[in-house]
């Protein structure tokens, strides 16, 4: 795009459209009450703007659909696998490429194959499924985000960094017992915030010094690379591909859900150079995912990702992607809605604890807000707070999470600027007309793990 124009357009045209069903408020009130006030349990056709997740919701390109047609469904040794392998080798620099059906399968295989019970895993912040998989093999997770990352409403360029001093201390305190250091880029649970290459380099050097494997959860590696190009001195003239390659070169092992920057609707992968690790992981993979050249995916999915992973690194796309999320964030801030600042790469995180400050954590302000904005405007977001991460003590009392957020995740290449203008208008009206009247929630069904997916509530 020539620099003289300041309007950043969607760098694509639309060839196939899906209708959005318009609903009334009274319809939506019934719909959300019928599913126990949990937006995860709604039918997607009842949602006007679906910002539940950016995972697997990408609009694929014409090239990817052409790849789908080329997909070869041979059980073993399909050409689709070799195209997938070559694409991922090019971006990650790793030799051993293991396909999986999605990110959490990569995580399960990695932790079960390479970690032992009671070992410690240290991270800037593990995502919920990653944490659940690490804990299911008996590992103890220590999240140590940097100080700026904990100040939700204060801007800083790299709030996804890990606290290097705390990392060194934990490595010293647990000699021989740290299974892995994992950097999640961007940091989804911490507001979609990027980690800098300086921080990634320092963290990997510390891991190496203590002979601990360094892992990157690289679901949003392309968005992280674009932030580095924009914000980190010395990288302004590098391409995002070069930055991604420099990032991945630091890792001993990479786990990716290809449903994000892989631009796939399903898929994931695990990569490494060590043949012995790869052998163990593939043996585990065969138990549940399938043969190592398809790993739970159809050949056509492998081809879609082989193409998508390169499209995610396209700089016209990334400029539009990051700016369009920032545009929503700026408008919400202007309307006085508290959000994690600066806006993340794939999502806006509303600080529901501040926004609905009259609702205590024990009554789940994030879950109340997500039910409220669905009823008000048909917008579906995702609570990231005490429902998702809260725990129960021995007496059955709730231990709240430290943050009460609602994530509005923007699917890739799906919504236009006017959809986003609608979101801003609706949330601004919600603040003025509804927020003070919102009530808290109480559980009517409380699952033991990953509670946000299936829990049910009543209004307090
Ligand atoms: C940072 C991060 N890691 C791992 C996962 C898990 O990936 P999947 O949903 O494909 O299992 C996600 C999904 O949202 C994520 O955001």
């Amino acid at each position: 795009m020539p620099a003289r124009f300041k309007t950043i357009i969607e760098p694509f045209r639309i060839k196939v459209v899906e209708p959005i069903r318009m609903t009334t408020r009274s319809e939506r009130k019934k719909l959300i009450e019928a599913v126990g006030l949990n937006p995860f349990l709604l039918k997607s056709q009842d949602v006007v703007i679906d910002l539940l997740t950016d995972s697997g919701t990408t609009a694929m390109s014409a090239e990817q659909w052409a790849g789908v047609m080329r997909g070869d469904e041979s059980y073993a040794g399909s050409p689709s696998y070799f195209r997938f392998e070559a694409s991922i080798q090019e971006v990650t620099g790793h030799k051993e490429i293991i396909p999986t059906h999605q990110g959490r399968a990569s995580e399960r295989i990695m932790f079960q194959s390479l970690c032992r019970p009671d070992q410690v895993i240290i991270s800037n912040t593990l995502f919920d499924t990653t944490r659940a998989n690490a804990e299911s093999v008996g590992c103890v997770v220590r999240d140590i985000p940097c100080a700026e990352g904990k100040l939700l409403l204060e801007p800083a360029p790299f709030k996804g960094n890990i606290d290097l001093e705390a990392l060194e201390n934990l490595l010293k305190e647990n000699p021989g017992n740290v299974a892995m250091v994992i950097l999640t880029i961007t940091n989804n649970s911490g507001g979609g915030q990027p980690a800098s290459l300086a921080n990634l380099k320092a963290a990997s050097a510390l891991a190496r010094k203590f002979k601990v494997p360094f892992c990157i959860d690289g679901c949003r590696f392309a968005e992280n690379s674009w932030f580095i190009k924009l914000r980190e001195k010395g990288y302004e003239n590098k391409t995002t591909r070069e930055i991604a390659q420099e990032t991945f070169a630091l890792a001993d092992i990479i786990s990716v859900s290809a449903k994000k920057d892989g631009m796939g609707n399903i898929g994931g992968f695990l990569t490494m150079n060590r043949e012995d690790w790869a052998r163990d992981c593939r043996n585990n993979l065969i138990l549940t995912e399938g043969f190592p050249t398809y790993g739970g995916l159809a050949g056509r999915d492998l081809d879609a990702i082989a193409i998508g992973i390169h499209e995610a690194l396209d700089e016209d796309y990334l400029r539009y992607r990051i700016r369009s999320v920032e545009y929503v964030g700026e408008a919400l801030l202007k309307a006085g809605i508290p959000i994690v600042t600066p806006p993340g790469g794939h999502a806006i995180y509303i600080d529901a604890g501040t926004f609905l400050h009259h609702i205590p954590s024990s009554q789940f302000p994030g879950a109340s807000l997500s039910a409220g904005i669905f009823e008000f405007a048909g917008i579906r977001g995702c609570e990231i707070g005490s429902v998702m991460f809260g725990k129960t003590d021995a007496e059955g009392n709730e231990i709240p999470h430290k943050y009460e957020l609602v994530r509005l995740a923007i699917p890739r290449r799906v919504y236009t600027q006017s959809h986003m203008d609608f979101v801003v208008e609706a949330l601004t009206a919600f603040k003025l007309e509804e927020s003070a009247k919102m009530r808290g929630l109480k559980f009517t069904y409380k699952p033991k793990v990953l509670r946000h997916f299936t829990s049910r509530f009543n209004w307090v």
Side-chain angles (χ1 to χ4, degrees):
M1 177 58 54
R4 63 165 287 201
F5 299 115
K6 70 177 186 352
T7 307
I8 296 174
I9 61 169
E10 287 88 356
F12 48 81
R13 297 183 300 180
I14 297 167
K15 178 140 105 183
V16 176
V17 297
E18 289 180 289
I20 293 177
R21 188 170 86 81
M22 299 300 170
T23 48
T24 62
R25 180 166 185 171
S26 61
E27 251 182 284
R28 292 191 296 266
K29 182 170 169 15
K30 283 192 205 124
L31 289 165
I32 192 75
E33 284 175 358
V35 295
L37 304 174
N38 182 350
F40 269 101
L41 303 176
L42 290 164
K43 290 184 179 152
S44 61
Q45 279 162 327
D46 293 331
V47 177
V48 179
I49 303 284
D50 202 347
L51 308 181
L52 187 68
T53 177
D54 64 320
S55 179
T57 51
T58 300
M60 291 209 294
S61 66
E63 270 313 300
Q64 284 179 291
W65 283 109
V68 165
M69 287 308 295
R70 247 190 325 270
D72 178 297
E73 304 306 337
S74 304
Y75 187 89
S78 158
S80 296
Y81 171 73
F82 294 107
R83 289 189 281 266
F84 176 87
E85 182 189 45
S87 261
I88 292 169
Q89 281 174 336
E90 201 226 305
V91 175
T92 61
H94 278 178
K95 208 167 67 206
E96 306 287 347
I97 310 296
I98 301 175
T100 59
H101 81 272
Q102 64 181 85
R104 68 200 71 185
S106 302
E107 293 156 9
R108 182 189 62 71
I109 290 163
M110 171 171 82
F111 293 134
Q112 286 184 355
S113 309
L114 306 179
C115 303
R116 293 189 313 277
D118 299 324
Q119 281 190 310
V120 179
I121 291 177
I122 311 173
S123 179
N124 52 348
T125 308
L126 286 191
F127 186 64
D128 60 346
T129 60
T130 325
R131 171 181 284 272
N133 272 297
E135 288 176 348
S136 83
V137 299
C139 288
V140 178
V141 178
R142 300 294 303 271
D143 285 338
I144 46 165
C146 65
E148 308 90 273
K150 294 181 211 158
L151 302 172
L152 296 188
L153 308 181
E154 303 291 322
F158 290 107
K159 291 170 77 170
N161 283 348
I162 194 167
D163 179 337
L164 293 168
E165 204 182 310
L167 173 60
E168 183 156 21
N169 289 339
L170 280 174
L171 287 164
K172 278 188 191 147
E173 286 160 18
N174 294 279
N177 197 38
V178 178
M180 269 180 208
V181 174
I182 305 182
L183 265 274
T184 309
I185 58 168
T186 56
N187 184 0
N188 187 2
S189 310
Q193 301 292 322
S196 70
L197 252 168
N199 188 263
L200 281 150
K201 281 182 185 164
S204 77
L206 276 171
R208 204 137 294 156
K209 182 171 152 198
F210 286 85
K211 300 196 170 32
V212 171
F214 185 69
C215 171
I216 292 179
D217 173 342
C219 293
R220 299 178 181 83
F221 73 96
E223 291 169 4
N224 202 78
S225 300
W226 180 253
F227 279 123
I228 288 171
K229 185 178 169 85
L230 288 186
R231 297 181 185 169
E232 189 162 355
K233 207 166 169 323
Y235 288 94
E236 48 283 77
N237 296 322
K238 296 233 169 173
T239 64
T240 44
R241 178 177 301 273
E242 288 164 340
I243 295 170
Q245 286 164 337
E246 195 171 329
T247 303
F248 282 142
L250 300 168
D252 300 303
I253 183 158
I254 299 166
S255 171
V256 167
S257 162
K259 299 170 74 176
K260 286 84 172 172
D261 282 348
M263 298 291 210
N265 297 134
I266 192 71
F269 52 85
L270 195 57
T271 79
M272 60 210 78
N273 280 326
R274 288 227 350 216
E275 282 173 28
D276 53 340
W277 290 357
R279 200 177 315 118
D280 289 347
C281 289
R282 287 193 176 106
N283 284 337
N284 189 311
L285 172 103
I286 286 172
L287 286 177
T288 56
E289 294 284 295
F291 193 74
T293 59
Y294 74 84
L297 292 173
R300 51 183 169 268
D301 301 321
L302 295 168
D303 269 303
I305 296 164
I307 295 162
I309 202 142
H310 294 298
E311 292 182 357
L313 284 168
D314 179 273
E315 298 196 358
D316 286 336
Y317 160 72
L318 283 167
R319 182 176 297 108
Y320 137 79
R321 166 82 178 151
I322 300 300
R323 178 59 197 141
S324 57
V325 176
E326 186 183 49
Y327 168 84
V328 178
E330 282 172 0
L332 294 181
L333 281 172
K334 209 160 141 209
I337 296 172
I339 62 164
V340 174
T341 310
H346 66 293
I348 298 295
Y349 293 67
I350 301 176
D351 177 3
T354 305
F355 192 28
L356 304 184
H357 54 84
H358 59 287
I359 301 179
S361 278
S362 57
Q363 294 178 11
F364 310 115
S368 167
L369 181 61
S370 18
I373 60 177
F374 175 76
E375 181 189 316
F376 186 65
I379 298 167
R380 174 156 75 166
C382 170
E383 192 259 15
I384 300 193
S386 293
V387 175
M388 186 185 271
F389 287 121
K391 297 248 153 80
T392 314
D393 70 15
E395 278 86 51
N397 302 311
E398 281 290 313
I399 309 168
H401 186 54
K402 46 189 184 300
Y403 309 121
E404 303 293 347
L405 305 177
V406 169
R407 185 185 72 177
L408 304 177
I410 320 285
R412 293 170 180 77
R413 304 189 292 210
V414 169
Y415 291 116
T416 62
Q417 184 165 349
S418 59
H419 291 117
M420 292 300 114
D421 286 338
F422 168 78
V423 170
V424 170
E425 181 189 340
L427 292 177
T428 306
F430 179 88
K431 174 179 160 43
L432 296 174
E433 297 162 27
E434 305 286 324
S435 57
K437 293 187 280 187
M438 290 303 296
R439 284 179 288 154
L441 302 187
K442 56 179 185 240
F443 277 115
T444 56
Y445 167 62
K446 181 159 80 170
K448 285 209 174 69
V449 288
L450 298 175
R451 316 193 298 183
H452 52 295
F453 287 134
T454 56
S455 52
R456 285 176 176 258
F457 305 90
N458 248 336
W459 295 111
V460 169

